[in-house]
Amino acid sequence: MSTAPPPLPSADHERRLHPWSWLFVLLLQLRQYLLPLVALLVFGQRGDRDPLWAQLGPLIVIAVLVLASVLQYLSYRYRIGEDGISIRSGVLARNRREIPFARIHNVVVHQNLLHRLFGVAELRLESAGGNRPEAEMRVLRLDEALALEQRVRHRSPAPQVDAGRTDDGTPPPLPETDERHLLLRMLPGEVVKLGLLSNRGWVMVAAALAALVQVVPRRSMDAFVEQGGRQAFGYASGLQPGISGLLLVAAAVLLVGWLALRALSVLLALLRYYGFELSEQQRRLTVSSGLLSKVRSSVALRRIQAWTLSETLLQRWAGRRQLRIDSAASQTHDENQQRGLRELAPLATPKACDALVRHLLPQVQWPPAHWQAVPLRGSWRLCITSLWLTPLLAAGLTWRWGYVGLLVLAWLPVALWTARLQMARIGWHLDGQHVALRGGWWRRWWRWAELDKLQALRLSRSPLDRLLGTSSVWLDTAGARGDVALCLRYLPQAQAAEVLQTLGAALARRKLRW
């Protein structure tokens, strides 16, 4: 995908989408109805006994989808003005939408393999309000999509600051320039390493099995599993390998399956992150990546609400971390669809992640020089489920198999030990610029937000908190949908009240500046 800035389009008459737009809308609809159509073709036909309308059912559905796609193309108009975009759509129900450039938080330019063959791209304009994109244009010429992205970048309002210092005494944001700075680039070797260190293959296999269970009738699935099991056991009995041979065969099958899943994870990582580049221009971050399907997404730096660093055990052993953000446009209307720019560094060294944070947030000290710890006396609360479930499980097993069931109680000291390690990892930091917290033992994470981005505060106490004299302070930001909540947990009651007062004062100063 070319990144050269095309000339900005001027305001003129209404425009149509690309002439092949109806085809891409049709393909999208066919993909959504693919499984029902396949099920209708495979399991819904009973031969010549079916009436004619039933035999032609799939063709009728496809014809209706083609007609709907053509009508959608003919009824879709857009006009690019000086301050926003005007969109008209609909055949029976006419809709007109005015989208100011200032409301657009994120611009996504998407190109799959078919888009690249036709020289077109799909454009999505996203904002903080609502659960859907403000506009989805399927499809535009690539140069028109890039020109519209450039227009949004130029027309979005820049934050107004004084020449010296801001109201709270901090240095003003860096001046905007037209120069593009490359902040991070992932080489193919790093993308392969990302696939090896992730579990994307497991997720894909689980999703495929779930879809298969929903489409294939249960009788056919049970018959297939039963027949396959009989053949496998019959083949194994004929070989007569013995116990050691069976263990070797089982280990070989597990190893082959593990290698296949890792290879699938690497393939998925290459398809998504190949050519990953993070760049900065006019205080706006842009990420482009993809092997067959190219995606280019951008978000203004001031729209970022919260930051998250994380590392799994495998990533920690490999000396790598992941940097994500929550932006005001990162809300989702579908659990399987992710909006907004989320990943600034899918995989990078800790030094590179810290340097990236310090560059993008020069007013924030990162990493913090000192972390506030939480009391360890209540660490047992992190394994409270194990504390009551393990004795019940041990009692049931002992009643069924005798004293051997008491071996389950050996899990209790392990659970208490891991809970104490996890509690020891919890920490928080608060200064005049940002609030940060950390946690996790097996999977470590760090999460923080600037004080100016806080929207609401909440102090909560559970029955366990009242028993132990602790409280939790919850912090809300716009579009905060991270893996972990922005919450200071297990603070002593007096300390939690003090933190709440400090953050409340910072929130009040922000409202006064507005």
Side-chain angles (χ1 to χ4, degrees):
M1 183 184 301
S2 174
T3 59
L8 296 179
S10 57
D12 56 4
H13 58 278
E14 289 186 332
R15 308 181 182 193
R16 292 182 184 268
L17 299 175
H18 193 275
W20 286 110
S21 174
W22 68 270
L23 176 61
F24 289 91
V25 174
L26 173 63
L27 293 177
L28 178 65
Q29 293 177 344
L30 289 177
R31 187 177 63 181
Q32 294 176 347
Y33 297 103
L34 178 62
L35 293 180
L37 286 175
V38 171
L40 180 62
L41 288 173
V42 176
F43 304 105
Q45 300 292 336
R46 294 176 296 176
D48 297 335
R49 294 177 298 172
D50 290 334
L52 181 61
W53 66 266
Q55 299 180 18
L56 298 178
L59 296 179
I60 295 176
V61 173
I62 293 176
V64 171
L65 293 179
V66 171
L67 179 61
S69 303
V70 173
L71 290 178
Q72 181 174 339
Y73 162 72
L74 294 176
S75 62
Y76 197 99
R77 299 284 194 280
Y78 72 97
R79 181 196 301 271
I80 302 176
E82 291 296 328
D83 300 318
I85 303 173
S86 177
I87 296 178
R88 291 196 302 112
S89 61
V91 179
L92 299 179
R94 300 291 182 89
N95 300 314
R96 178 169 178 172
R97 189 160 196 172
E98 302 289 340
I99 309 173
F101 288 128
R103 187 177 177 182
I104 300 173
H105 288 195
N106 186 39
V107 183
V108 179
V109 181
H110 176 256
Q111 268 194 307
N112 59 29
L113 187 58
L114 189 61
H115 288 145
R116 296 165 66 183
L117 291 176
F118 281 82
V120 297
E122 176 185 336
L123 187 74
R124 294 198 301 269
L125 307 177
E126 300 173 348
S127 71
N131 294 321
R132 300 183 62 87
E134 291 290 337
E136 295 180 273
M137 297 184 177
R138 303 186 179 99
V139 289
L140 299 173
R141 282 200 343 241
L142 179 59
D143 58 344
E144 291 182 353
L146 294 178
L148 186 52
E149 179 196 29
Q150 192 80 351
R151 171 63 68 91
V152 173
R153 179 182 294 122
H154 278 270
R155 294 298 180 181
S156 296
Q160 301 295 327
V161 296
D162 296 333
R165 306 180 73 85
T166 57
D167 295 340
D168 56 4
T170 59
L174 298 178
E176 298 187 359
T177 63
D178 290 334
E179 186 178 358
R180 174 179 175 270
H181 299 279
L182 182 64
L183 302 180
L184 179 67
R185 173 182 292 153
M186 290 186 64
L187 299 177
E190 284 294 305
V191 179
V192 172
K193 186 178 295 185
L194 172 62
L196 293 174
L197 298 177
S198 66
N199 295 316
R200 300 177 186 276
W202 292 94
V203 176
M204 180 65 68
V205 171
L209 291 177
L212 190 64
V213 170
Q214 294 293 330
V215 174
V216 179
R218 185 173 180 179
R219 292 181 179 179
S220 302
M221 181 68 69
D222 294 342
F224 175 78
V225 173
E226 182 179 357
Q227 183 179 2
R230 287 178 178 178
Q231 292 179 354
F233 282 114
Y235 181 74
S237 299
L239 293 178
Q240 297 181 353
I243 297 179
S244 60
L246 287 176
L247 292 177
L248 289 176
V249 171
V253 171
L254 291 177
L255 179 60
V256 171
W258 183 83
L259 292 176
L261 289 175
R262 288 299 165 187
L264 179 59
S265 297
V266 171
L267 177 60
L268 294 175
L270 287 172
L271 291 176
R272 180 174 179 179
Y273 295 106
Y274 182 83
F276 181 94
E277 287 187 355
L278 171 66
S279 60
E280 179 187 16
Q281 185 180 12
Q282 296 178 326
R283 300 296 288 170
R284 189 176 187 91
L285 302 179
T286 301
V287 166
S288 59
S289 64
L291 182 60
L292 300 179
S293 180
K294 297 284 188 179
V295 178
R296 177 185 171 97
S297 182
S298 64
V299 63
L301 187 58
R302 66 183 181 276
R303 304 294 190 187
I304 298 177
Q305 304 297 314
W307 306 67
T308 304
L309 263 176
S310 63
E311 59 180 21
T312 63
L313 183 62
L314 291 178
Q315 291 174 348
R316 184 158 65 250
W317 288 347
R320 295 294 186 272
R321 287 179 182 172
Q322 184 181 51
L323 178 61
R324 293 187 175 187
I325 60 171
D326 296 335
S327 64
S330 61
Q331 302 179 14
T332 59
H333 66 278
D334 188 344
E335 293 181 357
N336 299 321
Q337 182 178 355
Q338 183 65 54
R339 288 182 55 197
L341 193 157
R342 292 297 306 273
E343 295 176 306
L344 296 188
L347 194 70
T349 63
K351 183 178 179 181
C353 290
D354 291 343
L356 187 59
V357 173
R358 287 193 293 267
H359 171 76
L360 297 176
L361 296 175
Q363 71 277 13
V364 171
Q365 178 186 358
W366 186 262
H370 176 68
W371 290 94
Q372 298 276 356
V374 298
L376 296 179
R377 66 178 183 272
S379 59
W380 54 269
R381 68 193 301 173
L382 300 181
C383 62
I384 192 171
T385 302
S386 297
L387 291 181
W388 67 265
L389 183 59
T390 303
L392 291 179
L393 183 60
L397 294 178
T398 302
W399 176 78
R400 180 65 177 84
W401 285 294
Y403 292 105
V404 180
L406 295 177
L407 294 176
V408 179
L409 295 176
W411 171 249
L412 287 178
V414 176
L416 289 171
W417 176 67
T418 55
R420 189 172 182 85
L421 290 178
Q422 187 174 353
M423 184 68 81
R425 272 283 307 163
I426 296 177
W428 59 278
H429 173 82
L430 176 62
D431 58 26
Q433 298 298 324
H434 77 300
V435 55
L437 55 148
R438 70 178 186 184
W441 170 65
W442 186 266
R443 177 185 178 272
R444 297 181 178 179
W445 52 264
W446 299 260
R447 187 162 168 80
W448 68 96
E450 298 174 84
L451 297 185
D452 285 345
K453 301 301 174 63
L454 299 181
Q455 302 286 335
L457 308 173
R458 177 164 58 93
L459 182 70
S460 66
R461 301 190 73 193
S462 66
L464 277 179
D465 285 324
R466 289 193 290 270
L467 176 64
L468 298 173
T470 59
S471 298
S472 297
V473 180
W474 292 80
L475 315 175
D476 292 332
T477 60
R481 299 288 184 93
D483 299 334
V484 292
L486 197 60
C487 176
L488 306 180
R489 302 178 187 269
Y490 317 130
L491 300 183
Q493 174 63 18
Q495 192 176 42
E498 182 181 354
V499 170
L500 185 67
Q501 183 178 5
T502 302
L503 293 176
L507 210 60
R509 288 195 301 269
R510 178 193 178 198
K511 292 180 179 179
L512 288 176
R513 287 200 301 268
W514 282 7

